[in-house]
């Protein structure tokens, strides 16, 4: 499992680099042909990890319900993110991974609600949710790499 947590941390470092390199205006730009922003994608990976790993395990999430509503699957940017929101997501990128690793090692995850993903893969356990989350984050890192060419 340590390799899975390291992989998540690696994808989060990649995502954080976008928050460092681009201005707030660039982070909030929706290029032609795209439906969301660099910032939306980064906030989305934080929210999705919490939904897949914590909510499906019946545990409290480490992100506010307001963030979940703004960045969950099916949402889109309704307004520009503020610098405060960028700073919050930047901190959550890493704190949520560390908490997940700690909670896993401390056997906090005891239950899991089976979940069929939109890719057709059904999650049966927290371990599968963590693995699928890494796949999901990889998809969004690819989108970030595309978006950066247009902002």
């Amino acid at each position: 499992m340590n390799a899975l947590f390291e992989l998540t941390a690696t994808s989060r470092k990649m995502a954080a680099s976008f928050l460092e390199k681009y201005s707030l205006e660039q982070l909030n730009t929706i290029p032609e042909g795209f439906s969301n922003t660099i910032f939306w994608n980064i906030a989305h990976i934080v929210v999705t990890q919490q939904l897949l790993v914590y909510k499906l395990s019946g545990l409290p999430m480490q992100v506010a319900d307001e963030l979940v509503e703004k960045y969950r699957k099916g949402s889109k940017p309704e307004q520009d993110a503020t610098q405060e929101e960028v700073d919050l997501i930047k901190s959550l990128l890493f704190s949520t991974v560390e908490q997940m690793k700690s909670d896993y090692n401390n056997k906090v995850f005891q239950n899991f609600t089976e979940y069929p993903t939109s890719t057709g893969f059904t999650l049966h356990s927290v371990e599968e949710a963590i693995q699928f989350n890494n796949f999901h984050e990889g998809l969004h890192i690819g989108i970030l790499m595309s978006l950066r060419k247009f902002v």
Side-chain angles (χ1 to χ4, degrees):
M1 286 300 292
N2 278 339
L4 291 175
F5 297 129
E6 287 178 34
L7 184 56
T8 308
T10 299
S11 92
R12 298 297 178 94
K13 287 176 191 165
M14 292 177 76
S17 73
F18 285 84
L19 297 176
E20 299 294 331
K21 286 182 185 173
Y22 296 96
S23 69
L24 187 58
E25 180 182 348
Q26 289 172 311
L27 293 173
N28 283 309
T29 298
I30 302 174
E32 189 174 328
F34 290 86
S35 58
N36 48 48
T37 66
I38 288 173
F39 182 75
W40 183 93
N41 276 276
I42 295 170
H44 173 73
I45 67 172
V46 170
V47 163
T48 300
Q49 180 258 351
Q50 290 291 296
L51 290 167
L52 291 173
V53 177
Y54 283 86
K55 185 146 181 110
L56 291 175
S57 294
L59 296 169
M61 294 185 292
Q62 301 156 50
V63 297
D65 290 343
E66 174 187 303
L67 281 179
V68 173
E69 285 306 308
K70 285 176 80 170
Y71 300 108
R72 65 178 164 67
K73 182 173 85 172
S75 67
K76 61 182 182 178
E78 300 291 339
Q79 62 192 33
D80 284 352
T82 64
Q83 186 60 53
E84 291 77 22
E85 196 171 15
V86 171
D87 293 341
L88 172 62
I89 292 298
K90 194 183 300 185
S91 71
L92 287 170
L93 275 171
F94 299 104
S95 65
T96 53
V97 176
E98 286 303 313
Q99 189 64 51
M100 175 179 63
K101 181 178 178 180
S102 174
D103 288 344
Y104 185 83
N105 289 335
N106 289 316
K107 301 186 184 337
V108 170
F109 301 105
Q110 296 296 313
N111 301 304
F112 192 83
T113 302
E114 188 174 285
Y115 178 73
T117 69
S118 58
T119 65
F121 184 79
T122 300
L123 304 175
H124 301 95
S125 67
V126 72
E127 290 84 5
E128 289 179 7
I130 293 166
Q131 291 173 334
F132 182 81
N133 181 69
N134 283 338
F135 163 76
H136 176 262
E137 290 194 17
L139 292 173
H140 284 277
I141 294 294
I143 293 168
L144 290 169
M145 292 175 152
S146 293
L147 281 165
R148 73 179 175 189
K149 296 176 184 175
F150 300 99
V151 298

